[in-house]
Amino acid sequence: MHYATDLLLIGGTLLLALAAHGLGQKIHVPRVTLMLLLGALAGPDFLALLPEDSAESFSFITQLTLAMVGFLLGERMSMKDLHQSREALILSLAVTLTTAAVVALVVWLITGDGVAALLLGAIATATAPAATMDVLREAGARGPLAQLVYQVVAIDDAWGVILFSLALVTAGLLAGSSETGWTVLGQGVTEVGGSIVLGVVLGLPMAWLTGRLRPGEPMLLESAGFVFVAAGMAGLLGVSYLLTCMTLGVVVANKARHHVRPFRSIEGISEPFLALFFFMAGYQLEWTLLPALGALGLSYIGARIIGRVLGGQIGGFLAGSDGHTRNRIGACLMPQAGVALGLALLATERFPDMGYLLPLVIGATVVFELAGPPLTLLQLRHAGEVGRGIEEEKDED
């Protein structure tokens, strides 16, 4: 059977993801971290458990997964929600921009490489909403800080994707292209603008069709069809499929009559792809590069921590938040997972000579996924908001 190995890989990875979920709940380690570690152990530099050609399909898995992730990020950019969450909007922008600036500056000072500084600065802005929200639910957190954290993590990855798209354009300009600067800049503007236009062009008919073909029923076929067509057309036109799919999601979130349903449909089928994505991302890890990345990796982690905390202070001041919130919000936004890995993979595809980006981001992701959730819980506990949600539910009963 020609695809026997592929089917074994897919089935085995999904069962590993199930086991990782159960184990993670018992030892309080995020599932994404366990999947990355399992993939890294299975990789060619360690146990070499998979056939040599197993990584060849990873690019396709990445594009499928990130197309769905981009679409789901678009839901967070609902204008109604943004209007109602002025404080969260200001805080998320401040944390995103400050983190990018601090990390980019530190990486540039260490490496002298402007391209690496821009890319790592943009990648550092990504967070892990699932891990953060899991902490809020598990702790029964309820209060001003918990509510603000929930709102901020719901939108800051979207800002990060937009910033990363702009960073890719600028990085291409700095990479020493043989073409003139204006030509490269024009290509970059065309890529970003083309992604947005394509997302809008496909998003309007998708928003109109949502809920009309089969009223009241699930809409997986139409949702998946539009998302994958958007990613495919973006690839054919040479624009960003991640930004295209996110724009598609933004249009649907703001224009569709039953906008929640297509997002829940895509969310429902994304889990197997995410499991494969995390496992294969770990499989790509080159262990031999890790010792050489020690100083840069530690600097990246330290700069990201400073950027989050400082961004929380600046954003809290601009938004008029109380001192209590300003001091704690940045530390609650440390977890980092799938979106960061996806951005690192896109950066590596665009700049193949910068192969160290992926192992650096994988290593940092493991650190932030292990240390981030407990740090978020600590801040909520110091704020006196842990368990308040559970107590309020008991009072209502």
Side-chain angles (χ1 to χ4, degrees), residues 102-114 116-117 120 292-303 356 360:
V102 172
V103 172
L105 177 61
V106 169
V107 172
W108 181 73
L109 290 174
I110 292 175
T111 65
D113 188 340
L120 285 173
L293 294 174
L296 180 58
L298 290 175
S299 300
Y300 171 84
I301 291 171
Y356 62 87
L360 188 152

Side-chain angles (χ1 to χ4, degrees), residues 199-269:
V200 171
V201 168
L202 292 173
L204 290 174
M206 180 179 179
W208 184 83
L209 280 173
T210 296
R212 293 178 185 270
L213 298 180
R214 292 178 297 169
E217 295 184 19
M219 46 192 71
L220 176 59
L221 292 180
E222 58 196 86
S223 301
F226 270 103
V227 170
F228 295 149
V229 164
M233 290 187 66
L236 290 175
L237 296 174
V239 298
S240 169
Y241 64 83
L242 183 59
L243 187 56
T244 297
C245 291
M246 194 183 84
T247 305
L248 183 76
V250 172
V251 175
V252 172
N254 287 280
K255 293 293 184 181
R257 184 171 56 183
H258 302 293
H259 74 275
V260 173
R261 295 178 188 170
F263 293 104
R264 299 295 81 81
S265 297
I266 295 298
E267 198 171 47
I269 65 169

Side-chain angles (χ1 to χ4, degrees), residues 357-378:
L357 286 180
L358 185 58
L360 188 152
V361 173
I362 289 177
T365 295
V366 171
V367 171
F368 283 119
E369 279 293 90
L370 287 172
L375 184 58
T376 300
L377 181 60
L378 181 64

